[in-house]
Amino acid sequence: MKNRTALITGGASGIGKKTAILLAEKGCQVIINYRNSEAEAISLAKHLEHCYGTKCLAVQGDVALEEDCIRIVNKSMSVFKTIDILIHNAGPYIHERKKMTEYSSDEWNYLIHGNLSAAFHLSKQVIPIMRKQKWGRIITLGYDRVETSPGWIFRSAFAAAKTGLASLTRTIALEEAENGITANMICPGDITNDWKEKSIQDALVAEKYTTNTGTGRQGTGEDIARVISFLVEEKSDFITGSIIPVTGGIDVLGKALKHH
């Protein structure tokens, strides 16, 4: 992966941060997009440059806004010659549990724009760059069973956006295959809060003290980052249009319903 450049939206923390670290470790140059976490993004970029000797950049921008998507790509291109890999990891989410009718138009628009339209605006900017070099990798993030467009109680806007994103990801895969560009979606299981930045080793240690079901251990950001890192490799070009669950075999939506 040496000298490939990866743009990771929402890369300053969580799964995005774990992915940035893993790709830098492989020799990728990394562009870390952030909305508010300026200090974290800059510190991560410096840390990656120092540890792995790879060039990194922190770029502010809210992917829910079209003009910010354009600015993020322009800023990245002014520093790097190309963008080889786009990881659309940023995804606004409203934790409050409420029915569709209780969503305001602003909330609805923000979730649809941040989770779905952002992928359109960013891909529209980067695909022509990838076409030129006949090589590209686009990764989006979904949720468990998203390809079956299931209902998700109290998550109407988020679920609708991600379901649309699953279809969009597969369409990009079909349209851009001739240009050496792949597009895949990864669907993380129930990876919460701190676990998004933890390693598999952390989970194995914690497992000794819990009686979790499923695989018996907690999912981590590293579990997702490893799959992303595999999909962006040169030899992973045959994997495209895939929606890959990384859930530890746990039924995430079923769990959501039980809590109801």
Side-chain angles (χ1 to χ4, degrees), residues 52-73:
Y52 306 112
T54 179
K55 195 171 169 188
C56 296
L57 174 72
V59 183
Q60 195 280 332
D62 183 345
V63 296
L65 306 169
E66 179 183 1
E67 58 272 24
D68 278 25
C69 289
I70 293 167
R71 187 169 48 77
I72 292 163
V73 173

Side-chain angles (χ1 to χ4, degrees), residues 73-207:
V73 173
N74 287 344
K75 178 82 199 283
S76 303
M77 289 299 286
S78 71
V79 175
F80 298 100
K81 290 192 293 290
T82 181
I83 295 171
D84 304 286
I85 299 160
L86 168 63
I87 298 163
H88 178 40
N89 163 71
Y93 185 82
I94 290 176
H95 288 277
E96 193 189 335
R97 299 157 72 79
K98 50 188 183 177
K99 290 189 174 172
M100 189 206 77
T101 50
E102 287 155 20
Y103 274 79
S104 69
S105 298
D106 283 350
E107 287 172 327
W108 172 268
N109 289 334
Y110 192 65
L111 289 184
I112 298 291
H113 289 154
N115 287 290
L116 177 57
S117 306
F120 164 72
H121 295 307
L122 289 165
S123 301
K124 192 171 156 62
Q125 298 296 308
V126 302
I127 287 172
I129 300 165
M130 294 172 170
R131 278 179 187 156
K132 258 192 225 130
Q133 62 208 22
K134 286 273 177 222
W135 199 95
R137 299 283 183 266
I138 294 171
I139 310 276
T140 59
L141 274 85
Y143 67 90
D144 188 24
R145 302 206 307 274
V146 68
E147 70 278 19
T148 67
S149 54
W152 189 357
I153 193 163
F154 306 134
R155 301 282 177 250
S156 55
F158 182 81
K162 290 293 191 189
T163 306
L165 182 59
S167 175
L168 182 65
T169 304
R170 284 182 155 163
T171 302
I172 291 171
L174 294 169
E175 289 180 350
E176 300 304 327
E178 62 189 26
N179 298 309
I181 298 168
T182 68
N184 294 288
M185 176 180 258
I186 298 174
C187 299
D190 197 15
I191 303 174
T192 49
N193 310 337
D194 297 354
W195 286 102
K196 290 179 180 172
E197 286 185 22
K198 292 231 165 90
S199 69
I200 290 166
Q201 186 52 43
D202 293 329
L204 294 172
V205 171
E207 184 195 347

